[in-house]
Amino acid sequence: ASAPAPPAPAPVAAAAAAGGAKAEKGKLRCKRFGCNKHFDPDAEPQEECVHHKAAPVFHETAKWWSCCTEKKAYDWEQFMKIPGCQKGTHSENADDQGKRYLGGSDLRGDCAPVRLDADAPRDPRHKLGDMRRGLIAIGVDGDLFDKVWGKLAAESGGDIDKVVTTFATRFGALLDNPQ
């Protein structure tokens, strides 16, 4: 004799087992960041949804919402208790929220240090080096370039910026009037 078959699952359990988003009595689970409450999409008026506007961040043991960086948690229950920062209506669609979670590699680009000299003018020595490499690439002798820029530097009192400006002016004149 074989064991009796288990009872058929209730409709709610069957929907959950099939991967459906439906909960009890036709309710859906809200997909907005940090909400996860069940709501009736047909109810009027819609219940207010308190959620986060941006994805959660999981970095090492810390957890926080990328929109609320000042509130961090180190255990799951505390993380889930961080109150939402936006109010709206519940949504069954997660597609309109972008990336579902962020990790360490997502943070590195956003939190990378900003160069303080990013707006600074380029060092004339780098310009001179680029010019030398470019001229050598088209067949100009590197020693000739060194000799000419050395002479220009001596004439300008060692001001490399003036040397670069002189080169630019002379090359520009040659390109404007090819003979």
Side-chain angles (χ1 to χ4, degrees):
S2 62
V12 173
K22 290 250 181 203
E24 53 190 83
K25 297 180 188 166
K27 290 189 173 189
L28 301 172
R29 183 179 297 273
C30 181
K31 300 287 185 172
R32 294 198 185 273
F33 293 127
C35 180
N36 289 325
K37 290 184 179 178
H38 289 95
F39 71 100
D40 183 356
D42 301 324
E44 287 296 329
Q46 282 286 328
E47 180 182 335
E48 184 176 62
C49 172
V50 179
H51 60 277
H52 292 277
K53 65 181 175 183
V57 178
F58 303 109
H59 183 66
E60 296 181 0
T61 59
K63 301 156 194 58
W64 68 93
W65 296 96
S66 56
C67 52
C68 301
T69 57
E70 71 284 350
K71 300 172 186 170
K72 292 187 180 178
Y74 292 90
D75 103 338
W76 185 256
E77 287 77 28
Q78 291 301 319
F79 169 68
M80 292 307 291
K81 289 179 184 175
I82 297 174
C85 58
Q86 277 195 329
K87 293 180 181 182
T89 57
H90 292 292
S91 173
E92 63 182 294
N93 298 320
D95 300 338
D96 58 349
Q97 297 184 50
K99 197 163 184 181
R100 296 297 301 160
Y101 61 89
L102 304 173
S105 62
D106 297 308
L107 302 176
R108 288 192 250 310
D110 296 341
C111 299
V114 176
R115 290 189 60 113
L116 298 177
D117 63 350
D119 297 1
R122 193 149 181 253
D123 187 328
R125 293 173 292 187
H126 294 288
K127 292 179 183 179
L128 201 57
D130 290 346
M131 190 182 310
R132 183 179 195 279
R133 282 188 293 281
L135 289 172
I136 290 172
I138 62 168
V140 174
D141 181 32
D143 292 336
L144 176 61
F145 178 83
D146 292 340
K147 180 180 172 185
V148 172
W149 93 258
K151 181 181 176 204
L152 290 173
E155 290 172 2
S156 66
D159 187 348
I160 297 176
D161 224 357
K162 283 185 182 177
V163 172
V164 170
T165 303
T166 302
F167 266 125
T169 304
R170 289 183 183 175
F171 281 123
L174 282 172
L175 293 173
D176 282 341
N177 300 312
Q179 295 174 351

